[in-house]
Amino acid sequence: MEALQKFARTETSCRLCWVLTILLLSLYLGSSEGEEGLVDLPTPEPDLTIDECHDEFTIACANASQIFSDSYDLCELNANETIVNLDVDVELERLQIELGSSAVCGNMQICDTLDDDLEYFKCINENGTRNLDILTEINYNATHAHTRLREDYDAVHRTFLLCSLDAQKNYMDNLRKAHKELTKCRSEIDELSE
C-alpha cells in the first residue's frame, strides 16, 4: 500500500512537470508570434554586423589585389629571366659577327696602305673575295640569329600574356567570391533583423 502511495506521488509530480513544460513551451511559441501580455524572449543576434561584413569584404578585396600583384610580378620576373638567358645565348653570335666585320674593315685598310696601283687593286681583289665570304657568313649568321631570337621573344611574350591572363582571371574570381560572401552576409543580417 505504501508503495502504491509512493507511485501515485511520483506519477503526480511527473504530470505536473509535463504540464509546466507544455505551459512554458506555449508561452515561448506565443511570444514569438507577437501575442500581447507574454514575455518576449530575446532573438538570437547575428554572428556579424553590417560593418563587419564590409570589413571582411574589404580584407578579401585587398587579399585578392595582393595575390594578383604577386602573380603578375612573378609572370614579369619569369619573362625577364628568360629574356636575360636569351641575351646571354646570343652574345657569342654577336661577338663572331663583330669580329667578322672588323676583319672586313681591316682587310680594306691594309690595301689603303699600298702606294702602287697594281698592288692596291690586287689587294682589293684578293681581300674583296675574302670579304665577300666573310660578309656572306655574317649575313647568314645574323639572319639565322634574328629569326630564332624573334621566335624566342614571341614565345616569351606569349607565355607572359598567358600567365598574366591567368592572374587576371584568378583576381576576378576572388573579387566575385568576396562580393558573393558580402551579399550572403548582408542577407543573413537582414533576415535576422526582420
Side-chain angles (χ1 to χ4, degrees), residues 14-32:
C14 283
R15 282 186 194 158
L16 186 57
C17 283
W18 277 107
V19 169
L20 286 173
T21 303
I22 291 171
L23 180 63
L24 285 174
L25 202 65
S26 65
L27 283 174
Y28 176 74
L29 292 175
S31 68
S32 63

Side-chain angles (χ1 to χ4, degrees), residues 97-112 120-140:
I97 290 171
E98 289 167 5
L99 290 173
S101 65
S102 294
V104 168
C105 292
N107 289 339
M108 299 308 283
Q109 288 173 346
I110 289 172
C111 297
D112 287 344
Y120 173 76
F121 288 121
K122 181 181 174 190
C123 178
I124 291 291
N125 180 36
E126 290 171 356
N127 285 330
T129 303
R130 194 175 307 128
N131 284 349
L132 186 58
D133 291 341
I134 293 170
L135 288 173
T136 301
E137 187 71 22
I138 287 174
N139 183 53
Y140 171 79

Side-chain angles (χ1 to χ4, degrees), residues 71 74-75 78 158-168:
S71 298
L74 187 60
C75 293
N78 289 338
R158 188 171 41 254
T159 301
F160 171 74
L161 286 178
L162 291 173
C163 180
S164 61
L165 184 63
D166 285 342
Q168 290 172 12

Side-chain angles (χ1 to χ4, degrees), residues 57 60-61 173-185:
F57 174 72
C61 287
D173 288 346
N174 287 338
L175 285 184
R176 190 170 37 253
K177 181 181 175 186
H179 187 265
K180 188 176 177 180
E181 289 296 320
L182 173 65
T183 304
K184 180 182 173 189
C185 184

Side-chain angles (χ1 to χ4, degrees), residues 42-184:
T43 56
E45 289 293 320
D47 290 344
L48 297 173
T49 65
I50 291 287
D51 288 341
E52 290 171 327
C53 289
H54 285 275
D55 288 347
E56 285 192 4
F57 174 72
T58 303
I59 290 169
C61 287
N63 288 340
S65 294
Q66 186 61 51
I67 290 169
F68 171 72
S69 177
D70 292 345
S71 298
Y72 190 86
D73 288 348
L74 187 60
C75 293
E76 274 189 329
L77 180 66
N78 289 338
N80 289 338
E81 284 178 357
T82 304
I83 288 172
V84 166
N85 290 336
L86 294 176
D87 290 343
V88 168
D89 290 343
V90 298
E91 280 182 19
L92 179 61
E93 292 173 1
R94 271 188 84 116
L95 180 61
Q96 289 173 339
I97 290 171
E98 289 167 5
L99 290 173
S101 65
S102 294
V104 168
C105 292
N107 289 339
M108 299 308 283
Q109 288 173 346
I110 289 172
C111 297
D112 287 344
T113 62
L114 300 172
D115 290 333
D116 182 54
D117 289 339
L118 187 59
E119 290 297 318
Y120 173 76
F121 288 121
K122 181 181 174 190
C123 178
I124 291 291
N125 180 36
E126 290 171 356
N127 285 330
T129 303
R130 194 175 307 128
N131 284 349
L132 186 58
D133 291 341
I134 293 170
L135 288 173
T136 301
E137 187 71 22
I138 287 174
N139 183 53
Y140 171 79
N141 290 341
T143 304
H144 185 268
H146 176 264
T147 303
R148 191 189 75 248
L149 198 56
R150 173 58 36 211
E151 289 173 355
D152 290 344
Y153 277 132
D154 287 346
V156 170
H157 184 66
R158 188 171 41 254
T159 301
F160 171 74
L161 286 178
L162 291 173
C163 180
S164 61
L165 184 63
D166 285 342
Q168 290 172 12
K169 181 188 178 301
N170 290 337
Y171 175 65
M172 294 306 295
D173 288 346
N174 287 338
L175 285 184
R176 190 170 37 253
K177 181 181 175 186
H179 187 265
K180 188 176 177 180
E181 289 296 320
L182 173 65
T183 304
K184 180 182 173 189

